[in-house]
Amino acid sequence: MDKKQQEIFNIIENYLKGNGSRSSVARFAELFRGNKNETVLKKKMKADWDAISDEELQKADLSPVLYKIHFLINSEKKGKHSRNTTRKILHWYSRIAAMLLLPLLTIWGIYQLTSKDQTVSSTLVEVSAPLGSRVRMTLPDGTKGWLNSGSVLTYQAPFEKRSVSVEGEAFFDVRTDSLRPFLVQGPRSTVKVLGTRFNVKMWPGEELTEVVLEEGKVELLPVKSDRSFSMEPGEMLVYNSKERRLKRSQVKPEYYSAWIDGKLVLRGDSMQEMARELSRWFNVDVEVRDSKLQDYTFRATFVDEKLEDVLRLLKLTSPIEYKIIDNQRDKNGDFSRKKVIIFHK
């Protein structure tokens, strides 16, 4: 291990133990600005994982472990410092875990195991995907899921009702249980399933609910409506809650879940939609300064491309120019988000 790598490992260990001054916390935060330390951070994650993933643990049923994780992360008994530390650690662990395709909560939970006499009561569990990352998860019933950048999933533990709330975009591979339907609740609609694979968009502040079914069957139940809409594989339903209007179409489902594999797909998106996608995908602010571009649409697929490369390629195929304003540090030492300004050529 070289000197720089050892120094980074020491900074992380000291932070996790709660040691150090404000300056050491600042050094910890600085490790995750940009991609310059990505290789070392991956090594640290891998080393931590290898240290606790022995043969017996690999064979173990981790459902009880996950249950304890949920309680530990969300317990009201924890102090302010502990909650803030947990939130920060989960933020950077989720980014690295997403890169390694490791189940985030499993990793965190193994570190947080407590004695067997820990009392677990009903609590609200929250899983989030920080901007610029995607998070893979396994729910207590065995359902697998993915959260896209900036999305949040919550549910009550124990997970007896198999009901989750989503704000953002998620993909689910639902474990079949004929006696207990799986419910995905959003701000405007609920999706009811038994066992299936589907993608759903339920962004807060937006009137549209979008469901794309890959396999199985689902029902879309709009809020404040006595109607339900069933789906077949290969269909997409888009429900506008403001106009109470439904649009049904045949699609290729793999295009709508491509984000799971790190693919940013623009499917005839408007300028506004494209700006929103870039903002969430790259954790940047995007401002469109020319109204002439509002009706322009974009079709493209990007695989693990950097922001600068995406903008350069969009510029080659559309009438746009852009300017990138890098992060700015304020007097308190905090950094603003990178900003992209788009205007007409």
Side-chain angles (χ1 to χ4, degrees):
M1 183 183 300
D2 60 34
K3 185 176 180 180
K4 180 181 178 182
Q5 182 174 323
Q6 184 62 59
E7 180 182 359
I8 291 176
F9 277 34
N10 290 340
I11 291 173
I12 294 173
E13 291 295 338
N14 286 332
Y15 180 81
L16 292 177
K17 293 175 182 177
N19 301 331
S21 61
R22 289 184 63 184
S23 61
S24 65
V25 173
R27 288 198 299 272
F28 174 83
E30 191 66 32
L31 294 177
F32 304 96
R33 303 193 192 282
N35 300 319
K36 59 183 179 180
N37 298 314
E38 182 176 308
T39 300
V40 177
L41 294 174
K42 284 184 178 180
K43 288 182 179 179
K44 173 61 178 169
M45 188 64 164
K46 181 68 163 53
D48 288 347
W49 176 252
D50 289 342
I52 46 86
S53 58
D54 58 27
E55 183 177 353
E56 290 302 316
L57 184 58
Q58 294 292 345
K59 294 179 180 178
D61 178 8
L62 294 180
S63 297
V65 177
L66 287 172
Y67 193 70
K68 281 195 174 184
I69 302 162
H70 302 154
F71 174 80
L72 289 164
I73 292 175
N74 295 280
S75 174
E76 292 299 326
K77 296 179 181 179
K78 295 189 295 183
K80 180 179 178 181
H81 174 73
S82 177
R83 286 196 299 271
N84 289 341
T85 300
T86 298
R87 190 179 302 113
K88 291 176 181 177
I89 293 172
L90 282 176
H91 175 83
W92 70 266
Y93 255 103
S94 65
R95 295 192 63 179
I96 303 170
M99 297 175 193
L100 297 177
L101 295 180
L102 295 174
L104 168 64
L105 292 179
T106 301
I107 297 169
W108 176 244
I110 293 171
Y111 280 111
Q112 296 295 320
L113 284 177
T114 56
S115 61
K116 293 183 179 180
D117 60 354
Q118 173 74 60
T119 302
V120 179
S121 59
S122 178
T123 186
L124 183 67
V125 178
E126 178 178 296
V127 185
S128 62
L131 288 169
S133 69
R134 291 160 298 284
V135 170
R136 172 179 155 183
M137 61 192 166
T138 300
L139 298 175
D141 70 331
T143 291
K144 300 184 186 303
W146 291 258
L147 286 180
N148 206 348
S149 172
S151 302
V152 178
L153 177 145
T154 58
Y155 63 89
Q156 288 288 339
F159 195 56
E160 296 174 353
K161 294 184 178 180
R162 295 222 304 169
S163 177
V164 302
S165 295
V166 171
E167 293 185 354
E169 182 171 17
F171 182 90
F172 293 99
D173 186 350
V174 178
R175 184 171 183 176
T176 301
D177 186 337
S178 59
L179 299 178
R180 295 189 302 160
F182 187 90
L183 301 177
V184 181
Q185 301 183 32
R188 307 286 184 268
S189 304
T190 296
V191 178
K192 179 180 178 181
V193 304
L194 292 176
T196 187
R197 291 169 56 89
F198 65 100
N199 197 78
V200 61
K201 283 187 179 182
M202 296 175 161
W203 289 103
E206 297 182 14
E207 300 296 336
L208 301 181
T209 298
E210 177 188 290
V211 184
V212 178
L213 182 60
E214 183 174 310
E215 62 181 54
K217 287 188 177 183
V218 306
E219 274 188 286
L220 177 65
L221 297 87
V223 173
K224 296 181 180 180
S225 173
D226 57 359
R227 296 191 60 189
S228 64
F229 305 94
S230 60
M231 298 181 64
E232 298 292 336
E235 285 188 334
M236 176 174 72
L237 292 186
V238 179
Y239 184 77
N240 187 315
S241 60
K242 184 176 182 179
E243 301 175 0
R244 296 192 177 185
R245 179 169 50 86
L246 180 80
K247 180 180 179 182
R248 185 188 300 266
S249 56
Q250 295 291 324
V251 298
K252 293 184 177 180
E254 59 271 20
Y255 289 172
Y256 293 83
S257 59
W259 58 269
I260 294 173
D261 300 316
K263 298 178 182 179
L264 173 60
V265 181
L266 303 177
R267 303 172 294 269
D269 293 10
S270 67
M271 173 58 71
Q272 182 180 11
E273 292 169 335
M274 188 271 288
R276 196 160 48 223
E277 287 292 324
L278 293 184
S279 177
R280 291 167 179 158
W281 193 266
F282 293 105
N283 188 17
V284 297
D285 292 327
V286 180
E287 178 183 347
V288 181
R289 287 195 173 175
D290 200 323
S291 59
K292 296 178 182 178
L293 294 172
Q294 293 302 330
D295 295 329
Y296 200 84
T297 58
F298 298 84
R299 291 185 179 275
T301 299
F302 303 99
V303 183
D304 295 327
E305 302 282 358
K306 296 180 179 179
L307 172 63
E308 292 78 3
D309 294 330
V310 170
L311 291 170
R312 178 176 53 82
L313 291 170
L314 289 175
K315 176 182 175 180
L316 292 175
T317 58
S318 59
I320 69 169
E321 289 284 355
Y322 63 88
K323 179 181 179 181
I324 299 177
I325 302 175
D326 287 329
N327 313 71
Q328 303 293 318
R329 189 195 292 256
D330 62 23
K331 62 182 180 181
N332 296 321
D334 297 323
F335 282 83
S336 64
R337 288 209 297 175
K338 183 181 291 187
K339 185 173 185 178
V340 177
I341 300 174
I342 299 176
F343 47 93
H344 198 275
K345 284 183 180 179

